[in-house]
Every structure is written in structure tokens, then in C-alpha cells.
Amino acid sequence: MSADVRQMPGEPEKVVAIDAEYLSGRRFDYQEDVSLVQDVDLLAATPGEDINWLEDVTLLVEDGVPAVFDRYSNSFI
């Protein structure tokens, strides 16, 4: 398992970056055997009909200035 852990003496452990293996606590079979995913049809596995859904997103603009989403306040600024 890999995680970017930073710790100062006398402070609690701070995990800065995590991956799926760290979160699940185990390795997945496809990480060891690539043949398990070689014949997967990605178009068939994609939910919905529009694989390019991001092109359909309308960006918010106020007074000619594009809005930016702030993930910390969970709002547009």
C-alpha cells in the first residue's frame, strides 16, 4: 500500500495523498494481470449514451467574468 504520509515529531499522522489500494487495504486482481481488462468494451461500460457529456456543460458567467467553483466553500466565486 502506498500513501504520501508526512509527520512531524509529536504530531498525529497526516495523509497527504491516497490511492485506491490504500483506501481499500488490498490490491486488485487487474493490477497484477492486465489480461483481465484488455477485452473490456469501454463504450458499453459507459453509463448513458453521451460519452462526451462534459462538452454539454454550460459555464456560468457574471458580468462577462467566468465563475470559478471553490470546492472548500462548495460554492461559485
Side-chain angles (χ1 to χ4, degrees), residues 2-3 6 10 12 17 25 55 64 68 71 77:
S2 65
R6 299 177 188 168
E55 295 174 352
V68 177
R71 65 180 177 172
I77 54 174

Side-chain angles (χ1 to χ4, degrees), residues 1 11 15 21 44 75:
M1 287 182 245
E11 287 193 19
V15 177
E21 185 178 327
S75 63

Side-chain angles (χ1 to χ4, degrees), residues 6-73:
R6 299 177 188 168
Q7 185 174 5
M8 296 292 293
E11 287 193 19
E13 177 182 297
K14 296 176 180 74
V15 177
V16 179
I18 54 177
D19 57 16
E21 185 178 327
Y22 180 82
L23 287 173
S24 66
R26 67 181 181 91
R27 288 188 62 78
F28 297 96
D29 294 337
Y30 63 82
Q31 290 175 292
E32 306 296 333
D33 185 7
V34 73
S35 68
L36 295 174
V37 292
Q38 283 181 337
D39 57 348
V40 172
D41 183 3
L42 294 178
L43 290 177
T46 302
E49 295 181 15
D50 189 5
I51 194 167
N52 295 318
W53 61 269
L54 190 56
E55 295 174 352
D56 301 332
V57 173
T58 303
L59 299 178
L60 300 176
V61 176
E62 184 175 327
D63 297 328
V65 178
V68 177
F69 186 75
D70 179 28
R71 65 180 177 172
Y72 298 107
S73 66

